[in-house]
Amino acid sequence: MPRPTRFDVLIIGSGQAGNPLATALAKAGRKVAVIEKYLLGGSCINYGCSPVKALLSSAERVHQVATAADYGVKASAPKPDFRAIVARKDAIIQQKRDGVRDNLTQEQSGITVFMGHARFRSARVLHVQLNTGGEQELTAPLIFINTGTRAAVPPIEGLTESGFLTNVDILDLKQLPEHLLILGGGYIGLEFGQMFRRFGSRVTIIDAAKNLLEREDDDVCQAMRAQLEADGVEFVLEAEVRRVSRNADGEYTLTAGTSAGERRLRGSHLLVAVGREPNTDDLGLETTGVETDEKGYVLVNERLQTNVRGIYALGDVHPGPQFTHLAYDDYRVVRDNILHRKRRSAKARPLPYVVFTQPQLGRIGLSEKQARHEKLEYRVATMPVRVVGRAQETGFTTGFMKVLVDEKSHIIGATIFCEQGGEIMSMIQLAMAGGLTCDDLQNTVFAHPTWAEALNNLFAKLVKAA
């Protein structure tokens, strides 16, 4: 093997942290190599946020047609063309992939893309097995691991032998499932569950927990379940799946233990959505001395540095919440620390997130469960969406808004479960970032009739938490 090709920077993985970092470092004059094993753009573009939200938009259109009579509009029953729905998704994603490729290969000089699998030979050298069959060895003083995660597979008897869908596989189905079984009641399972139910599949969600989204407050879990049940989604909770089998016709049978005894659940398709695990097991980290936790996530400090000088970890591959917006902020942390000599930390940053069911669940800051765990004194306001003028006019009356404020009237958390919940949550996040108090928002003149106007009345309902 010839001597390794020298670069200033090696980035393993082209996700939401790696791509902008490559561009920023190249603009600063660094010679950058990006190594991508699968598809440029990472999980968000290829099998996460973008394709799922594109499909969810189609499901929302189906629901709008199905409920048109409620608005005085006569329409025939919707007939989803599943192949056309998937084709629309594919076109959107291909455009995004092309944009990433152009950015990395044409729009910015100083970046070299290697399509293949990277593995550490040492703390400074990567061996790349190219997808075309060749090999390369690369070296640099700075190496960034941005390899993301994959679907976790629970150790259930018969599961591997029976085969199953992951969040990646289900995006490429060409036919609508007759009955989709979903193992896992987290946000991935809920989004796919409502989506496929609206497309016309029968859907059953199975989870070992007592509540959906068990990290959320009970009122959120109950409201989410009620909405999806209204859509026709079936739930089997507090169920331990012990065996999975599949017959000659392709039908799945899940045998689960429940409080009411053993149940057998049958369906045409099975989606496993019980969590994620990091793509670190085949990186050769043992040759570097880089420390990982018991699950394989790469341990980092507040500047995203590993314990080995010059090696960093970005995005979902290190411990913590797994969201695209946090991965992008990882890029900003590294950019500022390396290029701008600003000491910026990845710790104690805001954690906004949205579950893109309909209605959406937007969350920022503390939940009541978290506030009580931290023994904080707080006031809370809860308001049903049905009293909001904009909700009444649009017909989106399901859900509620909840905010928590501290003793100084600063907002410490918000849960917005309603139409445009993510956008309303983002307004509250901006207020929190700007140090505005609940009194400021209660007295702000918002345009009428908007969703934002609901904040005037919401903060008027604050009471001391019990």
Side-chain angles (χ1 to χ4, degrees), residues 403-438:
V403 289
L404 280 64
V405 303
D406 64 16
E407 67 278 2
K408 295 183 179 180
S409 295
H410 286 112
I411 306 163
I412 59 174
T415 299
I416 311 297
F417 182 55
C418 71
E419 179 69 11
Q420 302 300 321
E423 308 299 332
I424 301 168
M425 175 275 291
S426 296
M427 291 191 296
I428 296 176
Q429 180 185 356
L430 287 172
M432 294 168 68
L436 298 180
T437 66
C438 58

Side-chain angles (χ1 to χ4, degrees), residues 133-452:
E135 297 180 351
Q136 287 275 350
E137 288 215 344
L138 314 175
T139 185
L142 289 177
I143 301 178
F144 297 89
I145 303 170
N146 184 217
T147 51
T149 61
R150 60 183 182 270
V153 181
I156 299 173
E157 179 186 339
L159 178 60
T160 301
E161 297 83 354
S162 299
F164 54 88
L165 299 169
T166 67
N167 64 300
V168 178
D169 308 316
I170 197 169
L171 295 173
D172 292 324
L173 288 179
K174 302 306 180 187
Q175 292 184 330
L176 193 66
E178 178 185 351
H179 185 181
L180 177 61
L181 303 174
I182 300 178
L183 189 56
Y187 71 90
I188 293 176
L190 298 182
E191 288 181 0
F192 277 116
Q194 187 183 55
M195 174 204 306
F196 276 94
R197 179 63 194 132
R198 288 183 170 183
F199 286 152
S201 299
R202 181 182 171 190
V203 175
T204 303
I205 295 178
I206 307 105
D207 198 281
K210 181 179 180 180
N211 287 319
L212 305 172
L213 302 170
E214 59 179 335
R215 294 182 182 178
E216 304 294 340
D217 291 334
D218 289 347
D219 52 358
V220 176
C221 301
Q222 292 162 6
M224 178 67 77
R225 179 174 179 175
Q227 173 57 49
L228 267 67
E229 285 182 331
D231 280 325
V233 176
E234 303 167 347
F235 290 95
V236 181
L237 302 181
E238 296 185 87
E240 180 187 355
V241 177
R242 297 168 179 164
R243 287 186 304 278
V244 175
S245 62
R246 193 177 185 186
N247 65 21
D249 295 327
E251 183 183 59
Y252 289 90
T253 299
L254 275 60
T255 304
T258 73
S259 58
E262 185 175 274
R263 288 193 59 179
R264 292 186 178 179
L265 307 165
R266 294 179 172 84
S268 62
H269 293 71
L270 172 62
L271 170 64
V272 174
V274 296
R276 311 290 295 172
E277 59 185 31
N279 293 319
T280 57
D281 51 320
D282 58 354
L283 287 178
L285 290 179
E286 66 277 3
T287 68
T288 67
V290 168
E291 295 179 352
T292 62
D293 66 12
E294 67 281 358
K295 296 181 179 179
Y297 290 97
V298 180
L299 299 177
V300 294
N301 62 15
E302 73 280 358
R303 303 177 76 179
L304 303 170
Q305 298 165 309
T306 70
N307 62 302
V308 176
R309 184 176 178 83
I311 301 181
Y312 294 69
L314 310 175
D316 295 351
V317 78
H318 63 70
Q322 297 177 0
F323 295 107
T324 295
H325 41 283
L326 291 187
Y328 186 78
D329 193 58
D330 282 358
Y331 143 68
R332 291 184 291 212
V333 169
V334 171
R335 175 202 63 192
D336 288 354
N337 284 325
I338 291 179
L339 294 180
H340 303 157
R341 301 301 178 185
K342 297 179 181 178
R343 190 165 185 84
R344 183 167 177 166
S345 173
K347 305 296 183 183
R349 55 188 171 185
L351 177 57
Y353 59 92
V354 182
V355 181
F356 284 90
T357 50
Q358 191 179 33
Q360 297 172 2
L361 171 62
R363 282 271 286 107
I364 181 67
L366 299 178
S367 65
E368 284 201 85
K369 187 184 297 185
Q370 292 168 324
R372 288 193 295 266
H373 178 74
E374 295 183 18
K375 296 181 171 54
L376 297 179
E377 294 288 334
Y378 67 93
R379 289 181 291 159
V380 60
T382 303
M383 184 175 72
V385 173
R386 64 177 180 273
V387 304
V388 178
R390 184 65 177 165
Q392 296 166 356
E393 293 145 9
T394 59
F396 295 118
T397 56
T398 299
F400 66 95
M401 303 180 181
K402 179 166 67 171
V403 289
L404 280 64
V405 303
D406 64 16
E407 67 278 2
K408 295 183 179 180
S409 295
H410 286 112
I411 306 163
I412 59 174
T415 299
I416 311 297
F417 182 55
C418 71
E419 179 69 11
Q420 302 300 321
E423 308 299 332
I424 301 168
M425 175 275 291
S426 296
M427 291 191 296
I428 296 176
Q429 180 185 356
L430 287 172
M432 294 168 68
L436 298 180
T437 66
C438 58
D439 298 323
D440 294 325
L441 288 182
Q442 184 181 347
N443 294 313
T444 294
V445 179
F446 293 106
H448 174 79
T450 61
W451 286 102

